[in-house]
Amino acid sequence: MSKKNIQVLLVRRPQGWVQESDFRLVETELPALRNGEVLVKHLYLSLDPYMRGTMNDAKSYQAKVELEQVMRGGIVGVVEASRHPNFQENDLVSGYLGWQQYSISTGQDALGRNIRKLHPKAGIAPSLYLGVLGMPGVTAWIGLVSISQPKAGETLVVSAASGAVGSVAGQLARIRGCRVVGIAGGKAKCDYVVNELGFDACVDYKAGHLAEDLARATPVGIDIDFENVGGEVLEAVALRLNPLARIALCGLVSEYNEIAPQGFRNFGALLTWRIKLQGFNVGDPDSLKLWPQAQSELEQLILAKKLTYRESIVNGIEQAPGAFIGMLKGENFGKQLVKLT
Amino acid sequence: MSKKNIQVLLVRRPQGWVQESDFRLVETELPALRNGEVLVKHLYLSLDPYMRGTMNDAKSYQAKVELEQVMRGGIVGVVEASRHPNFQENDLVSGYLGWQQYSISTGQDALGRNIRKLHPKAGIAPSLYLGVLGMPGVTAWIGLVSISQPKAGETLVVSAASGAVGSVAGQLARIRGCRVVGIAGGKAKCDYVVNELGFDACVDYKAGHLAEDLARATPVGIDIDFENVGGEVLEAVALRLNPLARIALCGLVSEYNEIAPQGFRNFGALLTWRIKLQGFNVGDPDSLKLWPQAQSELEQLILAKKLTYRESIVNGIEQAPGAFIGMLKGENFGKQLVKLT
């Protein structure tokens, strides 16, 4: 009995903002499983800002997605059939298996990495391996613990503070004794950041007086900037940096859809205040070594209910393009997922 | 018998480019020396790009010069009279004693640091303590050895390559086995950088095709950028950075006279290629500890004739404002000094 598989292909490279028409949904028939292959039924697809970069025809640390190919993306799924010695029916797995309902592979994902088997402890939902316990959570941990090296009493600012990465980075910094100030878009997100995530303050960049509000929220300046946004947000932060401050450069979501990004106009602050900035990625060789330590701390915090997270879930693979575009515009709230079953 | 002292005062804060009329020369009479004071006759005044920043009314790591006060600057001088227990007539000294022919102090300079006694080895000219053995040379050493941590075989690019800092940074990198590419303005400077300083290549940024020329000179990309200039020079470098490259951010001379600097438009490269950037200053607490080690290596290299330098000398304190403006425009060649006697 053959199965249908709906896939999302990249069919056009966006100039500027992504359009739904840059994607095309296709329904294909899954072929019969051959020796050495595993069939995975996808439960959740992760949508993340980095994906915007894979749509470009540009030299980058991440390979681009070819036109007419399935969009790359991390999923959590369940093995539905296996002719591969390492996998058995009902195994819970994770990997970069793409924007689709099913995948057939030889046990490696689109990045050439082995598909990982998951063994969630009681109380851990599988979707968390795409969020707080997966790439975004580990990104937050590495950017904070390894790159920023926070000390108790320091002031940390994190942009996109209600997002999958920012929310974890800020909470981890609070646990380490920092004063934590979020930057987010709109009152609802800022209320969430302060009241539910427990940040000391949150500045609404949409309120129209970012520099003044940030100055008020950081009376003794900024020691660490966990940067997810760039552009005007970064430039406001630069005005408040203390000497010898650090910037963990994790994302520049304000730039991803700009044809001519403004860049960093008051970049001179990095010289004036002798700032240490580091761009990083969770897939770097140095980062990959830290995954077990990061995931272990995050899992313990989740089980102890010391880490709050929020998921923003749409239903059905057909919703993926629209939800992705919304996320790039900041319309999501917390980790953006597509539920596929 | 009273002595005359010609001083250069800052009388107006420049908007944009420095003008000679931002300064005023005054002739004053030196008062009689009191107990605890030392009279220093200045032999050489150092002119350096950082001085542009001290003319602004802006918050910075370096205190601004007040209007109607003597411009701040490093000098080498000789003690002409002393009523201070630590100094004797004819002692050779160095310190931030200002743009003037003489200074009277209680043994501390304009930065509150003790005036340093110099003991040059045979073959070491006193003026070198303002250049290759002084602040610029130590800046180059710290930016290269401590900040950039070069490995043999890496490609290093240094802008303002014929200048007091860049020339030393590049030579130190060559000694450590790097491929070294300079960026300088004009054919004469580029010829000097390759033929006399021994760099592997030099790109003339005034020739009009910087990005193409830099690509040709760095066939396997750039691992370290020793950045003195910023603006378009930095943006061309950013296009050639290898993954995990480092940027030692030492200066941004292209910006110092701009009211609205362009900043760093393709700053996103630092995220894409996971770059480590560090702004630094030779007067930082971490840097100050490294001075003895840096000066010791530089002195040995000078005595062994393994380090080439060039001085650009004008005569008379009256020439200081013009020479300073020329240096900011890149008209000097090597370390810019004013000879005062």
Side-chain angles (χ1 to χ4, degrees):
Chain A
M1 190 189 76
S2 76
K3 267 185 197 301
K4 302 289 190 195
N5 181 27
I6 300 181
Q7 306 177 305
V8 181
L9 310 184
L10 176 67
V11 297
R12 194 174 57 196
R13 302 203 181 278
Q15 301 295 316
W17 277 98
V18 181
Q19 311 287 333
E20 294 225 22
S21 53
D22 297 330
F23 304 99
R24 186 172 66 235
L25 270 77
V26 294
E27 188 177 283
T28 61
E29 209 148 294
L30 284 168
L33 210 57
R34 292 179 296 193
N35 245 339
E37 289 184 337
V38 55
L39 170 66
V40 176
K41 179 181 181 178
H42 297 188
L43 302 175
Y44 290 96
L45 166 67
S46 177
L47 294 178
D48 303 280
Y50 80 83
M51 292 168 167
R52 178 64 184 83
T54 69
M55 302 173 76
N56 292 336
D57 189 17
K59 205 173 80 158
S60 169
Y61 68 94
Q62 51 189 2
K64 66 186 177 195
V65 175
E66 297 296 339
L67 289 177
E68 299 295 332
Q69 297 298 309
V70 178
M71 273 293 291
R72 193 179 306 142
I75 67 100
V76 163
V78 63
V79 172
E80 187 148 300
S82 177
R83 296 184 65 186
H84 187 294
N86 294 358
F87 298 96
Q88 292 194 303
E89 214 176 305
N90 292 323
D91 281 350
L92 192 69
V93 296
S94 183
Y96 285 88
L97 295 172
W99 293 28
Q100 53 187 337
Q101 293 173 312
Y102 292 91
S103 58
I104 290 176
S105 72
T106 56
Q108 293 195 317
D109 68 13
L111 296 181
R113 298 190 192 140
N114 289 333
I115 294 173
R116 240 174 95 221
K117 282 203 264 192
L118 303 175
H119 306 283
K121 294 217 169 82
I124 304 264
S127 64
L128 298 195
Y129 291 97
L130 297 176
V132 64
L133 295 179
M135 186 274 286
V138 173
T139 297
W141 192 96
I142 288 172
L144 184 78
V145 179
S146 169
I147 308 279
S148 306
Q149 305 195 348
K151 291 188 279 289
E154 290 189 317
T155 296
L156 175 137
V157 166
V158 54
S159 46
S162 70
V165 175
S167 61
V168 176
Q171 290 179 85
L172 290 175
R174 277 284 289 158
I175 288 167
R176 283 160 172 78
C178 292
R179 172 176 168 80
V180 176
V181 176
I183 302 176
K187 185 171 185 316
K189 286 182 181 173
C190 275
D191 286 350
Y192 169 72
V193 163
V194 172
N195 299 331
E196 296 189 45
L197 301 182
F199 287 22
D200 296 282
C202 187
V203 172
D204 175 6
Y205 72 84
K206 292 183 174 169
H209 22 73
L210 174 56
E212 298 84 337
D213 291 350
L214 189 62
R216 205 169 307 119
T218 58
V220 293
I222 295 170
D223 302 301
I224 300 172
D225 173 36
F226 194 112
E227 187 58 49
N228 293 313
V229 172
E232 287 171 12
V233 168
L234 174 58
E235 291 180 358
V237 168
L239 298 174
R240 300 294 302 158
L241 291 171
N242 286 330
L244 307 175
R246 290 89 80 200
I247 299 178
L249 181 58
C250 177
L252 291 170
V253 72
S254 73
E255 293 200 345
Y256 297 161
N257 290 289
E258 300 295 331
I259 292 168
Q262 69 179 51
F264 190 171
R265 289 174 299 199
N266 57 359
F267 169 71
L270 303 196
L271 175 63
T272 304
W273 305 113
R274 295 149 290 155
I275 303 306
K276 189 172 152 187
L277 173 147
Q278 189 162 349
F280 73 100
N281 179 276
V282 77
D284 291 344
D286 280 355
S287 296
L288 288 174
K289 293 180 212 150
L290 297 170
W291 274 71
Q293 191 186 347
Q295 286 184 310
S296 163
E297 180 179 342
L298 293 165
E299 193 180 63
Q300 286 167 33
L301 289 169
I302 289 286
L303 290 171
K305 300 197 184 308
K306 287 182 177 166
L307 200 56
T308 297
Y309 59 90
R310 184 178 285 209
E311 295 174 333
S312 195
I313 300 177
V314 296
N315 282 291
I317 189 71
E318 302 81 2
Q319 304 297 320
F324 177 62
I325 294 167
M327 184 198 61
L328 291 174
K329 293 182 173 165
E331 289 167 4
N332 64 313
F333 201 143
K335 171 64 204 166
Q336 182 66 56
L337 296 168
V338 183
K339 191 169 185 298
L340 298 172
T341 56
Chain B
M1 193 188 74
S2 77
K3 266 186 197 299
K4 302 290 189 195
N5 181 27
I6 299 181
Q7 306 178 304
V8 181
L9 309 185
L10 176 68
V11 297
R12 194 176 57 196
R13 302 204 180 277
Q15 299 295 314
W17 277 96
V18 181
Q19 311 287 332
E20 293 225 23
S21 53
D22 297 331
F23 304 99
R24 188 171 63 235
L25 270 76
V26 293
E27 186 177 284
T28 60
E29 207 149 297
L30 285 168
L33 211 58
R34 292 179 296 192
N35 244 337
E37 289 183 339
V38 55
L39 170 65
V40 176
K41 180 181 180 177
H42 297 188
L43 302 175
Y44 290 95
L45 165 66
S46 176
L47 294 178
D48 303 280
Y50 80 83
M51 292 168 167
R52 178 64 184 82
T54 69
M55 301 174 78
N56 292 337
D57 190 18
K59 205 173 78 159
S60 168
Y61 69 93
Q62 50 188 4
K64 66 186 175 197
V65 175
E66 298 295 339
L67 290 177
E68 301 294 332
Q69 297 297 309
V70 178
M71 272 294 290
R72 193 179 306 142
I75 66 101
V76 163
V78 63
V79 172
E80 186 148 301
S82 176
R83 297 184 64 186
H84 188 293
N86 294 357
F87 299 95
Q88 291 193 303
E89 213 174 306
N90 293 322
D91 281 350
L92 192 69
V93 297
S94 182
Y96 286 88
L97 295 172
W99 293 27
Q100 53 188 336
Q101 293 172 311
Y102 292 89
S103 58
I104 290 176
S105 73
T106 58
Q108 294 195 318
D109 69 14
L111 297 180
R113 298 189 192 141
N114 290 333
I115 294 172
R116 242 175 93 223
K117 282 202 264 192
L118 303 177
H119 306 283
K121 293 217 169 81
I124 305 265
S127 63
L128 298 195
Y129 290 98
L130 298 176
V132 65
L133 295 180
M135 187 273 285
V138 174
T139 297
W141 192 96
I142 289 173
L144 183 79
V145 179
S146 169
I147 308 280
S148 306
Q149 305 194 349
K151 291 188 279 288
E154 291 189 317
T155 296
L156 175 137
V157 165
V158 54
S159 45
S162 69
V165 175
S167 61
V168 176
Q171 290 180 85
L172 290 175
R174 278 282 289 159
I175 289 168
R176 283 161 173 78
C178 293
R179 171 176 167 80
V180 175
V181 176
I183 302 175
K187 183 170 186 317
K189 285 182 181 174
C190 275
D191 286 348
Y192 169 73
V193 163
V194 172
N195 299 332
E196 296 190 44
L197 300 182
F199 288 22
D200 297 281
C202 187
V203 172
D204 175 6
Y205 72 85
K206 291 183 176 170
H209 22 74
L210 174 56
E212 297 84 338
D213 291 349
L214 189 62
R216 206 168 308 121
T218 59
V220 292
I222 296 170
D223 302 301
I224 300 172
D225 172 38
F226 193 112
E227 187 58 48
N228 292 314
V229 171
E232 287 170 13
V233 168
L234 174 59
E235 291 180 358
V237 168
L239 297 175
R240 299 294 303 158
L241 290 172
N242 287 329
L244 307 175
R246 291 89 79 199
I247 300 178
L249 181 59
C250 178
L252 290 169
V253 71
S254 74
E255 293 200 344
Y256 297 161
N257 291 289
E258 300 294 332
I259 291 167
Q262 71 178 48
F264 189 173
R265 289 174 299 196
N266 57 359
F267 169 73
L270 303 196
L271 175 62
T272 304
W273 305 114
R274 296 148 289 155
I275 304 305
K276 190 172 151 187
L277 173 147
Q278 189 161 352
F280 74 100
N281 180 276
V282 76
D284 291 345
D286 281 354
S287 296
L288 288 174
K289 292 179 214 149
L290 297 171
W291 274 70
Q293 192 187 345
Q295 287 184 309
S296 163
E297 178 178 343
L298 293 165
E299 194 180 61
Q300 285 167 35
L301 290 169
I302 289 285
L303 291 171
K305 300 198 185 307
K306 289 184 177 165
L307 200 57
T308 298
Y309 59 90
R310 185 181 283 211
E311 295 175 333
S312 194
I313 300 178
V314 296
N315 281 292
I317 189 72
E318 302 81 0
Q319 305 297 321
F324 177 62
I325 293 167
M327 183 197 60
L328 291 173
K329 293 182 174 166
E331 292 167 5
N332 64 310
F333 201 144
K335 171 64 202 166
Q336 182 65 57
L337 296 168
V338 183
K339 190 168 186 299
L340 298 171
T341 56

